[in-house]
Amino acid sequence: MVDRKEPLPVARQCELLELPRSTFYHVPKPVSDEELELMRLIDRCHLKYPFYGSRRIRDWLEDQGHRINRKRIQRLMRTMGLAALYPKRNLSRANQAHKIYRKRQRISPLAAY
């Protein structure tokens, strides 16, 4: 990738890679111990109640003695890749592969004999 020891300037190397120069200089902050502990608690809650969203996880954490903003919980859940399980749309819609033959339903069983 980009190397400072190359004779080509860093700006030109980034330009060739179509990479913003600020991305090259960016150093991510390490995750604090407090956030790691919160992530552990959120993960434990999500494993126990996978259908809880950020609001109910916030309430669960308050019951555990932690007061945390819901948006912070949303950010941590997004970082961890967690999402609540819930019924998706069209769940009650019939599968197209399972055909229903309406004519058979209209005929009474006695009419066949």
Side-chain angles (χ1 to χ4, degrees):
M1 297 299 286
V2 180
D3 189 13
R4 290 183 185 207
K5 296 174 183 156
E6 288 289 322
L8 200 59
V10 172
R12 181 68 180 136
Q13 291 180 46
C14 290
E15 184 182 325
L16 290 172
L17 292 171
E18 297 178 357
L19 181 76
R21 211 169 71 235
S22 61
T23 304
F24 171 71
Y25 292 113
H26 174 71
V27 179
K29 292 181 183 177
V31 181
S32 67
D33 292 337
E34 179 191 0
E35 287 209 344
L36 286 174
E37 180 62 30
L38 284 175
M39 290 166 94
R40 242 181 254 112
L41 288 169
I42 290 171
D43 190 44
R44 186 170 52 170
C45 177
H46 184 72
L47 287 173
K48 192 171 183 181
Y49 307 105
F51 46 88
Y52 276 12
S54 62
R55 288 180 170 99
R56 291 186 70 180
I57 288 179
R58 181 203 54 211
D59 295 341
W60 185 83
L61 287 171
E62 276 190 20
D63 292 343
Q64 303 296 318
H66 302 277
R67 284 191 49 87
I68 303 156
N69 189 351
R70 181 178 61 88
K71 290 184 180 179
R72 185 174 183 188
I73 293 172
Q74 283 179 330
R75 180 180 55 82
L76 292 174
M77 286 177 71
R78 200 171 38 247
T79 303
M80 295 163 47
L82 299 179
L85 295 177
Y86 58 93
K88 305 298 188 260
R89 53 184 288 209
N90 296 329
L91 185 66
S92 60
R93 180 181 266 177
N95 188 350
Q96 296 300 318
H98 301 146
K99 292 284 185 189
I100 296 174
Y101 297 97
R102 301 281 180 204
K103 289 183 180 178
R104 286 192 183 169
Q105 287 180 346
R106 281 190 225 132
I107 301 173
S108 74
L110 299 175
Y113 296 105

